Amino acid sequence: MEWTGGAARAVRRQGGAAVRAVRRACTEPGRERDLAIQAGKAALAACLAWGVAGWWLQAPVAFVAPWVAVVLVESTVYRSLAHGLQQLAAIAVGTVAATLVALVLDNTMVTMAVVLPAVLLLTRWRRLGSQGIYAATGALFVLTSGQVTFATSGARVAEAVFGAVVGITVNAAIRPPVYLRDARAALKDAAREAQEILSAVAEGLARGEWDGPTAGGWHERALRLGRLVEQARSAIGWSRESMRGNHRGRGARGVSPPGRSYDDALAVLDHVAVHIAGVTRTVLETAGQHDEAVRPGPRVTGPYADLLHHAGRAIGLYGRTRFAQTGTESAAQGALHEAAEALRRSLDELDRTLPGTVQENPGTLATHGALLAHARRLAEQLGPDGHG
């Protein structure tokens, strides 16, 4: 009964998630709507390919055209074209090889034993990328579809070419996918998470609440921040690829590909993630120390918390100013400049405060030195000269 109840709750959760996804696809732009449009385009491409090849021309192997058309409505126009050329090459090689060997040996089982190992090796050929498997598919279509003839094999390759043309054309002509929004959102998410981590550490240090489990949670979040930055890097790559061969990127109302500002933001966030991980690692290691001489006291944690607070505010403003709407750039840049100056002043205060608190203890020197080094590097990245 418990298992049945848990399964029912899981089904309800999945159903609710599906309903929310459909609602978002209908009411607002986003990933759900993009996926729905791509699915509709793939179905349209298959219908067009079958309508021409199967219904109008009544081609002997018409099923190949809609099959190829569906798989080539890819996530970007460039990928549709590149994969289309690779797939056609693989299908042609597999089809020709199977046809020639079948006509010579006149035995389907023996031909499979000879041809399939050879064409499967094509899956490892770099020039065919991920499409090499279609060489084996093309060979199997030849060997399992009745009598083998040059005419049927030629028609099969021709249908594949037609399906590829339909799939690529539909993907390029009808709302070709653009992932610029995903790149911008990924960068903003990384900046927001960096700000929240710094704010959490600052508050914990200011209140003196930074035991081992708490510091461990901060460090786990800092490590996840690095993964968020990598996701942003991947999203920028997708955005640039999606603009290749994409007519939506041209014209006065077109969408521009990610420019230098995205690269600059990614570089800053990459460095910030590394230094935040360093800060949280040092705090975590210090939190586990039982030697009170090593553990920083309020004279250190207070100014350090203030610095982290200003660093968090600066990185939050940085994430917003990089992609501010037209007309708000100057105000946003002004706020960022003020935050960066406050960060620099807090670093100067820490520089003045820290030397007087350091005792002649190797552990203390190491801890305070690590904290100050990461603080300085954060300030360098987020200060007036550390961002573009």
Side-chain angles (χ1 to χ4, degrees):
M1 293 298 292
E2 291 182 2
W3 180 87
T4 304
R9 287 192 295 272
V11 170
R12 285 196 295 271
R13 284 196 300 270
Q14 293 294 329
V19 170
R20 289 191 294 273
V22 172
R23 185 181 298 117
R24 285 194 296 269
C26 295
T27 58
E28 62 186 32
R31 181 168 177 77
E32 291 82 2
R33 179 175 293 181
D34 292 340
L35 291 174
I37 290 174
Q38 287 298 102
K41 287 163 57 177
L44 174 61
C47 291
L48 290 175
W50 174 256
V52 174
W55 177 71
W56 183 29
L57 298 178
Q58 296 185 355
V61 283
F63 72 92
V64 175
W67 167 62
V68 173
V70 164
V71 298
L72 287 183
V73 179
E74 292 265 12
S75 50
T76 67
V77 176
Y78 172 77
R79 192 157 297 199
S80 288
L81 183 58
H83 285 181
L85 294 174
Q86 291 173 329
Q87 188 180 130
L88 290 176
I91 290 173
V93 169
T95 300
V96 170
T99 302
L100 293 175
V101 176
L103 291 176
V104 171
L105 299 180
D106 196 25
N107 185 296
T108 300
M109 289 300 297
V110 175
T111 302
M112 280 189 180
V114 172
V115 172
L116 289 181
V119 296
L120 282 171
L121 289 176
L122 286 173
T123 61
R124 302 294 182 182
W125 191 25
R126 180 177 58 83
R127 290 187 178 276
L128 291 181
S130 61
Q131 307 302 302
I133 190 63
Y134 288 103
T137 304
L140 285 172
F141 281 166
V142 170
L143 300 176
T144 58
S145 300
Q147 185 178 5
V148 179
T149 65
F150 282 117
T152 303
S153 296
R156 186 173 285 109
V157 174
E159 294 302 326
V161 172
F162 176 70
V165 170
V166 172
I168 294 170
T169 302
V170 168
N171 200 31
I174 302 176
R175 199 180 183 274
V178 176
Y179 295 94
L180 182 62
R181 178 178 57 249
D182 295 342
R184 185 184 294 114
L187 288 169
K188 285 184 175 181
D189 289 344
R192 182 168 56 250
E193 178 65 7
Q195 179 183 13
E196 291 177 359
I197 295 171
L198 289 171
S199 297
V201 178
E203 291 175 7
L205 291 177
R207 295 197 302 264
E209 299 173 356
W210 50 293
D211 55 10
T214 302
W218 294 337
H219 189 53
E220 284 296 322
R221 289 185 67 182
L223 296 178
R224 288 196 296 270
L225 174 62
R227 292 193 286 273
L228 284 179
V229 174
E230 287 305 310
Q231 291 174 11
R233 191 188 312 278
S234 176
I236 290 173
W238 274 97
S239 296
R240 287 185 170 138
E241 182 181 305
S242 72
M243 298 306 297
R244 300 175 70 175
N246 193 332
H247 68 79
R248 293 175 71 194
R250 298 192 298 270
R253 300 175 66 86
V255 182
S256 300
R260 178 65 183 272
S261 64
Y262 283 75
D263 293 328
D264 291 342
L266 186 63
V268 169
L269 289 172
D270 200 7
H271 285 291
V272 166
V274 170
H275 300 320
I276 289 178
V279 169
T280 56
R281 183 182 298 108
T282 303
V283 172
L284 174 60
E285 292 171 351
T286 306
Q289 293 283 346
H290 299 292
D291 186 355
E292 291 298 326
V294 176
R295 187 181 175 93
R299 290 183 61 192
V300 175
T301 56
Y304 203 81
D306 186 58
L307 181 141
L308 294 182
H309 172 75
H310 288 299
R313 182 169 182 270
I315 190 60
L317 287 169
Y318 180 83
R320 290 192 288 274
T321 56
R322 267 299 174 189
F323 312 106
Q325 296 182 355
T326 303
T328 64
E329 295 94 336
S330 58
Q333 287 290 346
L336 176 58
H337 185 76
E338 292 177 4
E341 288 295 338
L343 175 60
R344 180 65 66 184
R345 289 194 297 271
S346 66
L347 178 62
D348 293 339
E349 177 65 23
L350 190 63
D351 280 333
R352 288 192 298 270
T353 303
L354 198 57
T357 66
V358 176
Q359 305 177 21
E360 294 299 326
N361 181 304
T364 304
L365 290 171
T367 299
H368 290 194
L371 290 173
L372 185 58
H374 289 300
R376 181 169 288 112
R377 289 166 186 158
L378 275 172
E380 288 172 356
Q381 288 298 320
L382 300 172
D385 300 323
H387 52 79

